Amino acid sequence: MNVEADPAQTGPDGVDVTEEQLDDIKITYVKVDPEGAERIGKKPGNYITIESQAIRKQDTKMQDELSTCLSKQLKKLLADNGIKDSDRCLIVGLGNHRVTPDAIGPFAIDEVLVTSHLFELQPEAVAEGYRNVSAVTPGVMGITGIETSDMIHGIIHETNPDFVIAIDALASRSINRLNATIQLTDTGIHPGSGVGNKRKEISKETYGMPVFSIGIPTVVDAVTITSDTIDYVLKHFGREWREKDRPSNALSPALNPFEKRRTLTEEDLPNEEQGQAIMGMFAKLDDAEKRQLIKEVLTPLGHNLMVTPKEVDSFVEDMAHLVSAGINGALHAVIEDSDAQSYTKF
Amino acid sequence: MNVEADPAQTGPDGVDVTEEQLDDIKITYVKVDPEGAERIGKKPGNYITIESQAIRKQDTKMQDELSTCLSKQLKKLLADNGIKDSDRCLIVGLGNHRVTPDAIGPFAIDEVLVTSHLFELQPEAVAEGYRNVSAVTPGVMGITGIETSDMIHGIIHETNPDFVIAIDALASRSINRLNATIQLTDTGIHPGSGVGNKRKEISKETYGMPVFSIGIPTVVDAVTITSDTIDYVLKHFGREWREKDRPSNALSPALNPFEKRRTLTEEDLPNEEQGQAIMGMFAKLDDAEKRQLIKEVLTPLGHNLMVTPKEVDSFVEDMAHLVSAGINGALHAVIEDSDAQSYTKF
Amino acid sequence: MNVEADPAQTGPDGVDVTEEQLDDIKITYVKVDPEGAERIGKKPGNYITIESQAIRKQDTKMQDELSTCLSKQLKKLLADNGIKDSDRCLIVGLGNHRVTPDAIGPFAIDEVLVTSHLFELQPEAVAEGYRNVSAVTPGVMGITGIETSDMIHGIIHETNPDFVIAIDALASRSINRLNATIQLTDTGIHPGSGVGNKRKEISKETYGMPVFSIGIPTVVDAVTITSDTIDYVLKHFGREWREKDRPSNALSPALNPFEKRRTLTEEDLPNEEQGQAIMGMFAKLDDAEKRQLIKEVLTPLGHNLMVTPKEVDSFVEDMAHLVSAGINGALHAVIEDSDAQSYTKF
Amino acid sequence: MNVEADPAQTGPDGVDVTEEQLDDIKITYVKVDPEGAERIGKKPGNYITIESQAIRKQDTKMQDELSTCLSKQLKKLLADNGIKDSDRCLIVGLGNHRVTPDAIGPFAIDEVLVTSHLFELQPEAVAEGYRNVSAVTPGVMGITGIETSDMIHGIIHETNPDFVIAIDALASRSINRLNATIQLTDTGIHPGSGVGNKRKEISKETYGMPVFSIGIPTVVDAVTITSDTIDYVLKHFGREWREKDRPSNALSPALNPFEKRRTLTEEDLPNEEQGQAIMGMFAKLDDAEKRQLIKEVLTPLGHNLMVTPKEVDSFVEDMAHLVSAGINGALHAVIEDSDAQSYTKF
């Protein structure tokens, strides 16, 4: 499990951010060019974030739509990277199948459609419109004793695919993205980063072929929960004070009775004096400082727990199903969006 | 899943609090008499809290000790309530077997030793030292469509036990008790409380027989995490300032290099002015006000998540095993503490 | 787990047998009246057997058709027994959730639609076309220590339904019905029969309300496998000899190239002399004698194993899903056959 | 899943068979030299079969003894093949984790002790007496799309171990070895044999390092069940006739009241005339002919099912635990036989 990439909130030079809203789904495209990459400290490439409450709400219909959306975005990203229908794909399910919030990768591998053995053993039996696909679950170092990147290296070396798609659960950097976003990139993966300094990248630079990743934030730490909540509290009061001063609340969009849920934005933050009255010195800290300070308090107490929503079993099962259906739809031309669900194995 | 009872921090009249420390285990006994009960708004009876890091640390040896400790405490509580060796026991595993953090009850039922059918069908085959025990998992209303208390009522009515032990996962009121405490009472249960106002108590008052409960906090909400953390931050800075003013840090017990983990206490809280500097108005709120305020901000955003540690699968499996071994040891005179583990079914 | 009822192969007086073939599904209706009941030693009532290779072939489309068929047959059987839309149903999932081939009942209960709690707590929220349904898994005596029939009695007593549907895995009396039939009756159940002589029936006679059962053969013993195979061998050679003597094989339906699978029938049995040449004295034994003899040989050796197909995990999961969808469709007028699948919980 | 090797019943030249009996465990050593190998059509090397009813009887104490026995046999086999304490081991868990009777390999991998990452990342933290061990589950071709032997090749190529131990479930060639034997060899593996003709051996010959295999028969087909049973029936009657003719049954060991279970042997077979009376032409067929004939009858009917005992869930879980404890004990000098159980991860 890796930590979620920090999404670029603003677009400095060399970082292009666009958004799209489709009914209940919001898509954010961040394109980072080499110059921008240096500025924001991320690899150049495409970062696509798909947001939806489909999993949290356990809404089957919304999940089908989200799966179809993932399929389209992935198909487009493959095309943008020059992937042809005849290119061979290796899908890698990262994570630990015995730790449910870390099991999206392994669970999805059980459901994706594999065809590579048919191409090899009975090529005449493979119908038009199917891609050559294989899939592996390299496991985690605590169970295999082998660095995940070494394991993947061995398998890539043996199967020699034209491109790789990796699926992984992520540690979320924000409470509101937990089980509510799918992150798609073409910038490669660093499996097992965080353990020692021996991280080994699997990417276009190191393997000469495109490496796509699909990441889903499933856990969050207590520091993030507290830091986010302090931020929400500040904005909440900031907005309250601002609205109180307005001539008529009736015109305030924030009170629009048709709006289902109030979202808080940067503009809601209170001024310095107000902030300090509510939250003392915490109001003056930026996000990184706030997190650092909370971490310093919680860690020695043993309370910086990494947590996952109580409904983890169904969230992870649903997400794995949705992701595998989305991948199947993107990889095989023969699968229509509408019936991608019926191509998963379970 | 019920909410954990609020442990009495102080002992007003009619509330007797004593503590015991055994190596890595801390036991708190709270005895509430009828007068005290009215004062603190809880039912009269015994509330025993056993604290240990055995599960969080995934330490098998500590878990065996914790199981033995639970066994002894439960055995004593049964004796204090006049339970005889010949009394028949019904064990009730509350919770949802498909939601892992809520599955301790059902999982434990799979492992406890049942003998009631042998007493009925082959009484001559039951060796000396075994108690007549049966066990049920009533399920949750979302899966059965039946109020849990009604289900238990039907089964008690049919099996007619002499006493009941109920096992349930709890929502923790504090981050530091999560998966780190077992709560034992003789005051009965209110299954399914929280859903509607139709709660029905199962206790000595309603059934005329002792009803014991074993509760384990496995989930916590974002409000609690944030509220606890704000409290830790205040104490952390309060202590830092206090220590800075002392003539010599060398004598401070808080800096004792042999102390494994610094625990923060009420005395560490900063004075009013300091508190306000750190946390603004939050420093002035009492616990209930702080929680209320945070809840009002998080709930409309849909972010007051109920969460469980990432390691939920092994935590719950270990805890269910430990609890069932503890119950087996307490119920059957023939089982020695040292071999209680080998009497569980799995 | 009970033993499958012996299907009446022929129809003596008072036993009415009719068959229906729907594409890949074969339905056999056996109606036993009180006179016939005495003749064949079975309870009077309706016995419906639905045969399909949908599960064994792991064919999703055929499984949907089978589910729809079950739904229609159950709906009709309910109507024939005078069940009205307003009648309240209790679904009972018999079996052991920890023994996969015995877990169809418990697994199906996890998926059926329950509404009883909504009728009680929020009647205004229940849309037209839903029936009042509750569901329980009483467990098995080895885990609860309680006779299954006593447990069900307690729950019926408490919830007071108008009719009961019980789901159970069965021990098959024939290799060819294993995971390939669903048996539907309105003659009640005898949970836990086979353990001691304390069986207690749950039926119209004992409870004054219709009790339906849905049984699925999932296991078979070595005696049955051997006995069936000896029978197939005899018929196989009987047919071979018969066909050899015919003037032209070209006209033989048994060799029809369009026939997918040759089925052997009673008419294929060889004559006495031929039979003895092939199988010695076994050719002369009737089915019961053959089984008895094989049992006497295998049992002392410890080899009369009860077995289940290797694919038990997916067979049982698929069957539980199919059965729960079929029940949902039969119970709630609002569910169309075509979308019954989407009303299961998983 | 491979088919069990045919155990050499007799010892022709070049095939050395010895037996050992330890309380409830029987060990058969078959040593095949190159000459014998040609004669019996098997690879030269050691074939050790450990028989015990520990799993079938679900007897924890017997399972511990069996695990210790496996540990000793494996340790000796390693030594006989010149394996040193400093040699690095790769454990390969063959099979499909989603098909329980085929999941012993993957389940065991979850429990074996791995240390390779510690040797690489923190060599100073590895205590004396631990071996460098890594472990993988290559998966099955239906889920990965990759030939298992190719997957293993890639991993061996990457990790470069000094020897390999492979764990696999087997299709049993006899009803009485089902879940009752562990087969140990030093002759390598042919993963995925049976699918196409592309089998690729992993053995000393192909990789230049010892490859050990641990195989456990968990499934059996209907042909084997029937063929074995016909054989038992013949011997049963053969013995009955023979005993009838004896002057005094009182002296017959077969009727010894202290003997727990009668075992039938080759000497119990009836003479030709008797055999034919009982089983017709089947009495005259040898084992291969009998199996062939039954297969020809059952296969076109779709009834040559591959089956596993009903208790498959606990059998496979227990066996995986036992095997992983046995391997841990054999690989790490620091693990005493008596505490091997506590080194498994679950």
Side-chain angles (χ1 to χ4, degrees):
Chain A
M1 188 180 279
N2 268 289
V3 179
E4 187 191 8
D6 193 4
Q9 297 294 353
T10 59
D13 278 1
V15 180
D16 187 33
V17 180
T18 56
E19 292 187 355
E20 194 179 337
Q21 183 82 34
L22 305 162
D23 297 331
D24 298 318
I25 301 172
K26 182 180 161 195
I27 309 175
T28 308
Y29 304 88
V30 178
K31 196 178 180 67
V32 179
D33 70 15
E35 283 173 59
E38 214 160 311
R39 265 191 207 93
I40 63 169
K42 288 167 73 177
K43 293 194 61 180
N46 292 287
Y47 299 82
I48 302 166
T49 303
I50 308 174
E51 286 182 63
S52 159
Q53 296 292 315
I55 295 291
R56 281 202 192 177
K57 289 189 176 169
Q58 305 189 271
D59 182 318
T60 313
K61 199 164 153 287
M62 282 173 72
Q63 290 176 16
D64 287 353
E65 288 163 12
L66 178 54
S67 182
T68 303
C69 174
L70 167 62
S71 189
K72 282 183 182 158
Q73 295 299 327
L74 178 55
K75 204 181 273 186
K76 193 172 165 307
L77 191 62
L78 296 178
D80 290 350
N81 279 271
I83 304 297
K84 300 184 300 292
D85 277 2
S86 58
D87 285 344
R88 301 165 66 247
C89 178
L90 173 68
I91 310 174
V92 177
L94 298 167
N96 187 341
H97 68 288
R98 298 198 68 127
V99 174
T100 306
D102 193 21
I104 287 183
F107 286 5
I109 291 303
D110 285 342
E111 300 201 46
V112 292
L113 193 64
V114 296
T115 55
S116 187
H117 55 311
L118 302 174
F119 273 92
E120 181 156 349
L121 300 171
Q122 312 175 278
E124 71 288 355
V126 183
E128 197 70 24
Y130 286 99
R131 182 190 297 276
N132 185 319
V133 174
S134 52
V136 295
T137 49
V140 292
M141 203 166 61
I143 284 183
T144 64
I146 303 169
E147 278 262 22
T148 307
S149 52
D150 291 346
M151 189 84 90
I152 297 172
H153 179 80
I155 295 162
I156 287 178
H157 191 85
E158 186 67 29
T159 59
N160 201 22
D162 297 309
F163 66 103
V164 167
I165 298 175
I167 310 162
D168 199 6
L170 303 176
S172 186
R173 298 176 68 95
S174 160
I175 199 173
N176 69 335
R177 282 201 296 281
L178 198 59
N179 290 299
T181 53
I182 299 175
Q183 306 191 353
L184 203 54
T185 77
D186 53 7
T187 59
I189 53 170
H190 300 73
S193 65
V195 181
N197 53 0
K198 303 211 163 193
R199 50 163 90 189
K200 294 169 186 176
E201 183 175 287
I202 293 176
S203 67
K204 191 158 197 169
E205 287 72 42
T206 53
Y207 282 84
M209 68 181 165
V211 177
F212 304 91
S213 81
I214 297 175
I216 299 102
T218 59
V219 299
V220 70
D221 63 6
V223 166
T224 302
I225 291 176
T226 307
S227 172
D228 282 5
T229 303
I230 288 175
D231 199 53
Y232 291 137
V233 167
L234 285 168
K235 288 172 181 167
H236 175 86
F237 282 101
R239 180 153 72 179
E240 289 230 329
W241 276 321
R242 209 153 287 141
E243 284 167 1
K244 223 167 30 197
D245 298 341
R246 290 192 188 150
S248 163
N249 280 335
L251 297 172
S252 160
L255 293 176
N256 184 332
F258 298 106
E259 201 188 22
K260 278 169 295 178
R261 178 185 288 177
R262 295 164 60 130
T263 6
L264 297 166
T265 67
E266 295 301 306
E267 284 107 60
D268 291 321
L269 277 174
N271 65 33
E272 201 185 309
E273 192 191 344
Q274 289 168 338
Q276 203 161 345
I278 306 167
M279 271 293 174
M281 70 175 205
F282 270 84
K284 286 181 291 187
L285 302 177
D286 70 18
D287 192 54
E289 293 166 333
K290 210 161 37 189
R291 295 171 68 98
Q292 183 56 31
L293 199 153
I294 299 169
K295 199 171 177 178
E296 280 170 16
V297 173
L298 282 183
T299 305
L301 297 167
H303 292 334
N304 189 16
L305 300 174
M306 194 64 94
V307 296
T308 189
K310 180 186 151 203
E311 302 83 356
V312 56
D313 305 276
S314 68
F315 282 4
V316 167
E317 196 183 333
D318 288 356
M319 189 58 98
H321 183 70
L322 181 166
V323 166
S324 58
I327 290 177
N328 287 344
L331 290 183
H332 304 283
V334 77
I335 302 180
E336 295 290 325
D337 295 335
S338 59
D339 62 359
Q341 299 294 326
S342 56
Y343 281 85
T344 59
K345 290 190 208 121
F346 298 100
Chain B
M1 189 180 278
N2 268 288
V3 179
E4 187 192 7
D6 193 4
Q9 298 294 352
T10 60
D13 279 0
V15 180
D16 187 34
V17 181
T18 55
E19 291 188 356
E20 193 179 338
Q21 183 81 33
L22 304 161
D23 297 331
D24 298 320
I25 301 173
K26 182 181 161 195
I27 309 174
T28 308
Y29 304 88
V30 178
K31 196 178 180 67
V32 179
D33 71 15
E35 282 173 59
E38 215 161 311
R39 265 190 208 94
I40 63 169
K42 287 167 74 177
K43 293 194 61 181
N46 293 288
Y47 298 81
I48 301 166
T49 303
I50 307 173
E51 285 182 64
S52 159
Q53 295 292 316
I55 295 292
R56 281 200 192 179
K57 289 191 176 168
Q58 305 190 272
D59 182 319
T60 313
K61 197 163 154 289
M62 282 173 72
Q63 289 176 17
D64 287 353
E65 288 162 11
L66 179 54
S67 183
T68 302
C69 174
L70 168 62
S71 190
K72 283 183 182 158
Q73 295 299 326
L74 178 56
K75 204 181 275 186
K76 192 172 167 308
L77 192 62
L78 296 178
D80 289 350
N81 279 270
I83 304 297
K84 298 184 300 292
D85 277 2
S86 57
D87 284 345
R88 299 165 67 245
C89 177
L90 173 68
I91 309 174
V92 178
L94 298 168
N96 187 341
H97 68 288
R98 298 198 68 126
V99 173
T100 306
D102 194 21
I104 286 182
F107 287 3
I109 292 303
D110 285 342
E111 300 201 46
V112 292
L113 192 65
V114 296
T115 56
S116 185
H117 54 310
L118 302 174
F119 274 91
E120 181 156 349
L121 299 172
Q122 311 176 278
E124 71 289 355
V126 183
E128 197 69 23
Y130 286 100
R131 183 189 296 277
N132 186 318
V133 174
S134 53
V136 295
T137 50
V140 292
M141 203 165 63
I143 284 183
T144 64
I146 303 169
E147 278 262 23
T148 306
S149 53
D150 290 348
M151 189 83 90
I152 297 171
H153 179 81
I155 294 163
I156 287 178
H157 191 85
E158 187 66 29
T159 58
N160 200 25
D162 296 310
F163 66 103
V164 167
I165 297 174
I167 309 162
D168 200 5
L170 304 175
S172 185
R173 298 177 68 97
S174 162
I175 199 174
N176 68 337
R177 282 200 297 278
L178 198 59
N179 289 300
T181 52
I182 300 176
Q183 306 190 352
L184 201 55
T185 77
D186 54 6
T187 59
I189 53 170
H190 299 74
S193 65
V195 181
N197 53 1
K198 303 210 160 193
R199 51 162 90 186
K200 294 166 185 177
E201 184 175 287
I202 294 177
S203 67
K204 189 157 199 172
E205 288 71 42
T206 53
Y207 281 84
M209 66 180 166
V211 177
F212 304 90
S213 82
I214 298 175
I216 298 103
T218 59
V219 300
V220 70
D221 63 6
V223 166
T224 301
I225 290 175
T226 307
S227 172
D228 282 4
T229 304
I230 288 175
D231 200 52
Y232 291 136
V233 167
L234 285 168
K235 288 173 181 166
H236 174 87
F237 282 101
R239 179 154 69 175
E240 290 230 328
W241 275 319
R242 207 152 289 141
E243 285 167 1
K244 225 168 27 200
D245 297 343
R246 290 191 187 154
S248 165
N249 281 334
L251 299 171
S252 160
L255 292 175
N256 185 334
F258 298 107
E259 202 186 20
K260 277 168 293 177
R261 179 184 285 176
R262 294 164 63 130
T263 5
L264 298 167
T265 67
E266 295 301 306
E267 285 106 59
D268 290 322
L269 278 174
N271 67 32
E272 201 184 311
E273 192 189 344
Q274 289 168 338
Q276 203 160 344
I278 306 167
M279 271 292 176
M281 70 175 205
F282 271 84
K284 285 180 292 187
L285 302 178
D286 70 18
D287 192 54
E289 292 166 333
K290 211 162 35 188
R291 295 172 67 98
Q292 182 56 31
L293 199 151
I294 299 170
K295 199 171 179 178
E296 280 169 18
V297 173
L298 283 184
T299 305
L301 296 167
H303 292 332
N304 188 17
L305 300 175
M306 193 66 94
V307 296
T308 191
K310 181 187 150 204
E311 301 82 357
V312 56
D313 305 276
S314 68
F315 282 4
V316 166
E317 196 184 330
D318 288 355
M319 190 58 100
H321 182 71
L322 181 165
V323 166
S324 58
I327 291 177
N328 287 345
L331 291 183
H332 304 283
V334 78
I335 302 180
E336 297 290 324
D337 295 334
S338 59
D339 62 358
Q341 299 295 328
S342 57
Y343 282 84
T344 59
K345 289 190 210 120
F346 299 100
Chain C
M1 188 180 278
N2 269 288
V3 179
E4 185 191 11
D6 192 5
Q9 297 294 352
T10 57
D13 279 1
V15 180
D16 187 32
V17 181
T18 55
E19 293 187 355
E20 194 179 339
Q21 182 82 34
L22 304 161
D23 297 331
D24 297 318
I25 300 173
K26 182 181 161 195
I27 309 175
T28 308
Y29 304 88
V30 178
K31 197 180 178 66
V32 179
D33 71 15
E35 282 173 60
E38 213 160 312
R39 263 190 209 96
I40 63 169
K42 289 168 72 177
K43 293 193 62 180
N46 292 288
Y47 298 82
I48 302 166
T49 303
I50 308 174
E51 285 182 63
S52 159
Q53 296 292 315
I55 295 292
R56 279 201 194 179
K57 289 190 177 168
Q58 305 190 271
D59 181 319
T60 313
K61 198 162 154 287
M62 281 174 72
Q63 290 176 15
D64 287 354
E65 288 163 12
L66 179 54
S67 182
T68 304
C69 173
L70 168 61
S71 189
K72 282 183 181 158
Q73 295 299 327
L74 178 56
K75 204 181 272 185
K76 193 173 166 305
L77 191 62
L78 296 178
D80 290 350
N81 279 271
I83 304 298
K84 300 184 300 290
D85 277 2
S86 58
D87 285 344
R88 301 165 66 247
C89 177
L90 173 67
I91 310 175
V92 178
L94 298 168
N96 186 341
H97 68 288
R98 298 198 70 126
V99 174
T100 306
D102 193 22
I104 287 182
F107 286 5
I109 291 303
D110 285 342
E111 300 202 47
V112 292
L113 193 65
V114 296
T115 55
S116 187
H117 54 311
L118 303 173
F119 274 91
E120 181 157 349
L121 300 171
Q122 310 176 278
E124 70 289 354
V126 183
E128 197 70 24
Y130 286 99
R131 181 190 297 276
N132 186 317
V133 174
S134 53
V136 294
T137 49
V140 292
M141 202 165 63
I143 285 182
T144 64
I146 303 169
E147 278 262 22
T148 307
S149 52
D150 290 347
M151 189 84 90
I152 298 171
H153 178 81
I155 296 162
I156 287 178
H157 191 86
E158 187 67 29
T159 59
N160 202 21
D162 296 310
F163 66 104
V164 168
I165 297 175
I167 309 163
D168 199 6
L170 303 176
S172 186
R173 298 177 68 95
S174 161
I175 199 174
N176 69 335
R177 282 200 296 280
L178 198 60
N179 289 300
T181 52
I182 299 175
Q183 306 190 351
L184 202 55
T185 77
D186 53 7
T187 59
I189 53 169
H190 299 74
S193 66
V195 180
N197 54 359
K198 303 210 161 193
R199 51 163 90 189
K200 295 167 185 177
E201 183 175 289
I202 293 176
S203 68
K204 191 157 197 170
E205 287 72 41
T206 52
Y207 282 83
M209 68 181 163
V211 176
F212 304 91
S213 81
I214 297 175
I216 298 102
T218 59
V219 298
V220 70
D221 62 7
V223 166
T224 302
I225 291 175
T226 307
S227 173
D228 282 5
T229 303
I230 288 175
D231 200 52
Y232 290 136
V233 168
L234 285 168
K235 288 172 181 166
H236 175 86
F237 282 101
R239 180 153 70 177
E240 289 231 328
W241 275 320
R242 208 154 288 141
E243 283 168 1
K244 224 168 27 195
D245 297 342
R246 288 189 190 157
S248 163
N249 281 334
L251 299 171
S252 160
L255 294 175
N256 185 333
F258 298 106
E259 201 188 21
K260 279 168 295 180
R261 178 185 286 178
R262 294 164 62 133
T263 6
L264 296 166
T265 67
E266 295 301 306
E267 284 108 57
D268 290 322
L269 278 174
N271 66 32
E272 200 184 308
E273 192 191 345
Q274 289 168 337
Q276 202 160 346
I278 306 167
M279 271 293 175
M281 72 176 204
F282 271 83
K284 286 180 292 188
L285 302 178
D286 71 18
D287 192 55
E289 293 165 333
K290 212 163 34 192
R291 295 172 68 99
Q292 182 56 31
L293 199 154
I294 299 169
K295 200 171 178 178
E296 281 169 16
V297 173
L298 283 183
T299 306
L301 297 167
H303 292 335
N304 188 18
L305 300 174
M306 193 65 94
V307 296
T308 190
K310 182 186 149 203
E311 301 84 357
V312 56
D313 305 274
S314 69
F315 281 5
V316 166
E317 196 183 332
D318 288 356
M319 189 59 98
H321 183 70
L322 182 165
V323 165
S324 58
I327 291 176
N328 287 345
L331 290 184
H332 304 283
V334 77
I335 302 180
E336 296 290 326
D337 295 333
S338 59
D339 62 358
Q341 298 295 327
S342 56
Y343 281 85
T344 59
K345 288 188 210 123
F346 298 100
Chain D
M1 188 180 279
N2 268 288
V3 178
E4 187 191 7
D6 193 3
Q9 299 292 353
T10 59
D13 279 359
V15 180
D16 187 34
V17 181
T18 55
E19 291 187 356
E20 194 180 338
Q21 183 82 34
L22 304 162
D23 295 334
D24 298 318
I25 301 173
K26 183 181 161 195
I27 309 175
T28 307
Y29 305 87
V30 178
K31 194 176 182 68
V32 179
D33 71 15
E35 281 173 60
E38 214 160 310
R39 264 189 210 96
I40 63 169
K42 287 168 74 177
K43 292 194 62 181
N46 293 288
Y47 299 81
I48 301 166
T49 303
I50 307 173
E51 287 182 62
S52 159
Q53 296 292 315
I55 296 292
R56 280 202 192 177
K57 289 190 176 167
Q58 306 190 271
D59 181 317
T60 312
K61 197 163 153 289
M62 282 173 72
Q63 290 175 17
D64 287 354
E65 288 162 11
L66 179 53
S67 183
T68 303
C69 174
L70 168 62
S71 189
K72 282 183 182 158
Q73 295 299 326
L74 178 55
K75 203 181 275 187
K76 193 172 166 307
L77 192 62
L78 297 178
D80 290 350
N81 279 269
I83 303 297
K84 299 184 300 291
D85 277 2
S86 58
D87 284 344
R88 301 164 67 246
C89 177
L90 173 67
I91 310 174
V92 177
L94 298 168
N96 187 341
H97 68 287
R98 299 198 67 127
V99 173
T100 307
D102 194 21
I104 286 182
F107 287 4
I109 292 302
D110 285 342
E111 300 201 46
V112 291
L113 192 65
V114 296
T115 56
S116 186
H117 55 310
L118 302 175
F119 274 91
E120 181 156 350
L121 300 172
Q122 311 176 277
E124 71 288 355
V126 183
E128 196 69 24
Y130 286 99
R131 183 190 296 276
N132 185 318
V133 175
S134 53
V136 294
T137 50
V140 293
M141 202 165 64
I143 285 183
T144 64
I146 303 170
E147 278 262 22
T148 306
S149 52
D150 290 348
M151 189 84 89
I152 296 171
H153 179 81
I155 295 162
I156 287 178
H157 192 86
E158 187 65 30
T159 59
N160 200 23
D162 297 309
F163 66 104
V164 168
I165 297 175
I167 309 162
D168 199 6
L170 303 175
S172 185
R173 298 177 69 96
S174 161
I175 200 175
N176 68 336
R177 282 200 296 279
L178 199 59
N179 290 300
T181 52
I182 300 176
Q183 306 190 352
L184 201 55
T185 78
D186 54 7
T187 59
I189 54 169
H190 299 74
S193 65
V195 181
N197 53 0
K198 303 211 162 192
R199 50 162 89 186
K200 293 168 186 177
E201 184 175 288
I202 293 176
S203 67
K204 191 157 198 170
E205 287 71 43
T206 54
Y207 281 83
M209 66 180 167
V211 177
F212 304 91
S213 82
I214 298 175
I216 298 102
T218 60
V219 300
V220 69
D221 63 6
V223 166
T224 301
I225 291 175
T226 307
S227 172
D228 282 4
T229 304
I230 288 175
D231 199 53
Y232 291 136
V233 167
L234 285 169
K235 288 172 182 166
H236 174 88
F237 282 101
R239 179 154 71 176
E240 290 230 328
W241 275 320
R242 208 153 287 142
E243 284 167 1
K244 223 168 29 197
D245 297 341
R246 289 189 189 158
S248 164
N249 281 333
L251 299 171
S252 160
L255 293 175
N256 184 333
F258 298 106
E259 201 187 21
K260 278 170 293 180
R261 180 185 286 176
R262 294 164 63 130
T263 4
L264 297 166
T265 67
E266 294 302 305
E267 284 108 60
D268 291 321
L269 277 175
N271 66 33
E272 201 184 310
E273 193 190 345
Q274 288 168 338
Q276 202 160 345
I278 306 166
M279 271 293 176
M281 69 175 205
F282 270 83
K284 284 180 293 185
L285 302 178
D286 70 18
D287 191 55
E289 292 167 332
K290 211 162 35 188
R291 295 172 68 98
Q292 183 55 31
L293 200 152
I294 299 169
K295 199 171 180 179
E296 279 169 17
V297 173
L298 283 184
T299 305
L301 296 166
H303 292 334
N304 188 17
L305 300 175
M306 193 67 94
V307 296
T308 190
K310 181 186 151 203
E311 301 83 355
V312 57
D313 304 276
S314 68
F315 282 4
V316 167
E317 196 183 331
D318 288 355
M319 189 59 99
H321 182 70
L322 181 166
V323 165
S324 58
I327 291 176
N328 288 345
L331 290 183
H332 304 283
V334 78
I335 302 180
E336 297 290 325
D337 296 334
S338 59
D339 62 357
Q341 299 295 326
S342 56
Y343 282 84
T344 60
K345 290 193 209 118
F346 297 99

